[in-house]
Amino acid sequence: MSIPKVIEAKAQCWVNLMHRMQCKHNDPVKFVKDQIDNVFVCLRNDIRQPWNDWTLEVKTSSIVDAGRGVFLSGNCKAGRLLCMYSGQLWRDADIEQLCTAVSADDNNAHLMLDQILLGQYTYARSNGELIDATPCTRLHDVLRSNPLCLGYCINHPPKDSIPNLLPLDVSYAFTPETMPYIPTWSADPAVIDEHITVFLAMRDINDGEELFFDYELDAVEYEGY
């Protein structure tokens, strides 16, 4: 699927979800940002689980040979924020710099580029930025500060199944108070992410369900959703 088609499919999913939320929330976008703010307020006050209705658990996936997965303990309504995607942020300028190093026969840069472009933990934002969530010490350090950074543990849904999560890239202005919980980092310490990637429930999700999002966002899977 082409990039424009992917963006179009994702946008349509967001529109459909907003329609579902419209009866309860006059401004769905603000509702999502308010949820993000609430998460950070809770973490600043040492409340490790921001929601009263559910918790998240990482354990063996229900999909054979898929490794770990994320499961819901409790019940969650459509439109609620469940978790975030974390990892190293790669902007266009960062990729270009890496490609220049590869052209200069830098073997480490070559391995890093392969990891970013071919790795199973890379998430591509609609604006072209990439997040590399390959498990590492830095990622686990972030997890200790922000326990909702579990996006890299979420699997693609089984064949003929519809995902129950929608990844959404939200513009967000981090402050000194919220910086300790930012889900991403950059090789350049001066770079601060201007977005945050969150996962919203696309429908009501019940106790014990495994969470899934579409890795490729195939529009066919979302048809009629």
Side-chain angles (χ1 to χ4, degrees), residues 34-109:
D34 285 347
Q35 291 186 76
I36 296 173
D37 288 338
N38 182 67
V39 168
F40 292 144
V41 168
C42 288
L43 294 177
R44 286 168 54 194
N45 287 278
D46 204 29
I47 301 173
R48 307 299 294 171
Q49 175 50 47
W51 316 124
N52 295 323
D53 301 332
W54 69 83
T55 57
L56 301 176
E57 182 180 2
V58 178
K59 58 184 182 181
T60 302
S61 174
S62 60
I63 302 176
V64 177
D65 297 328
R68 60 193 166 192
V70 180
F71 292 79
L72 185 74
S73 178
N75 296 282
C76 173
K77 293 294 185 180
R80 297 306 298 271
L81 186 158
L82 279 160
C83 52
M84 306 173 180
Y85 206 88
S86 57
Q88 184 170 354
L89 176 68
W90 290 87
R91 305 162 302 155
D92 287 345
D94 302 321
I95 297 295
E96 289 178 7
Q97 185 176 4
L98 198 60
C99 289
T100 299
V102 169
S103 299
D105 294 326
D106 185 326
N107 188 55
N108 289 333

Side-chain angles (χ1 to χ4, degrees), residues 13-210:
C13 292
W14 173 231
V15 169
N16 293 343
L17 182 55
M18 284 197 293
H19 284 320
R20 291 185 174 202
M21 296 164 57
Q22 196 67 42
C23 61
K24 295 182 180 179
H25 312 289
N26 294 326
D27 188 344
V29 175
K30 183 178 183 300
F31 177 62
V32 173
K33 289 192 174 184
D34 285 347
Q35 291 186 76
I36 296 173
D37 288 338
N38 182 67
V39 168
F40 292 144
V41 168
C42 288
L43 294 177
R44 286 168 54 194
N45 287 278
D46 204 29
I47 301 173
R48 307 299 294 171
Q49 175 50 47
W51 316 124
N52 295 323
D53 301 332
W54 69 83
T55 57
L56 301 176
E57 182 180 2
V58 178
K59 58 184 182 181
T60 302
S61 174
S62 60
I63 302 176
V64 177
D65 297 328
R68 60 193 166 192
V70 180
F71 292 79
L72 185 74
S73 178
N75 296 282
C76 173
K77 293 294 185 180
R80 297 306 298 271
L81 186 158
L82 279 160
C83 52
M84 306 173 180
Y85 206 88
S86 57
Q88 184 170 354
L89 176 68
W90 290 87
R91 305 162 302 155
D92 287 345
D94 302 321
I95 297 295
E96 289 178 7
Q97 185 176 4
L98 198 60
C99 289
T100 299
V102 169
S103 299
D105 294 326
D106 185 326
N107 188 55
N108 289 333
H110 193 283
L111 293 174
M112 178 60 72
L113 188 62
D114 281 348
Q115 175 178 300
I116 297 169
L117 299 182
L118 304 176
Q120 60 180 317
Y121 294 102
T122 298
Y123 173 86
R125 285 177 171 169
S126 300
N127 65 359
E129 294 174 339
L130 302 177
I131 303 176
D132 177 21
T134 302
C136 62
T137 301
R138 178 67 183 272
L139 181 60
H140 294 157
D141 286 342
V142 172
L143 281 175
R144 281 194 284 273
S145 298
N146 186 344
L148 298 190
C149 291
L150 296 174
Y152 75 106
C153 295
I154 300 174
N155 288 308
H156 182 80
K159 185 178 180 180
D160 299 325
S161 298
I162 294 176
N164 49 22
L165 294 183
L166 173 67
L168 189 69
D169 307 323
V170 182
S171 60
Y172 194 84
F174 287 93
T175 66
E177 290 76 20
T178 57
M179 277 298 296
Y181 316 109
I182 187 171
T184 57
W185 66 87
S186 171
D188 181 353
V191 173
I192 299 176
D193 201 348
E194 296 180 349
H195 295 81
I196 182 170
T197 298
V198 299
F199 292 87
L200 307 179
M202 294 182 68
R203 58 168 173 78
D204 292 351
I205 303 177
N206 300 317
D207 181 48
E209 284 193 64
E210 183 171 0

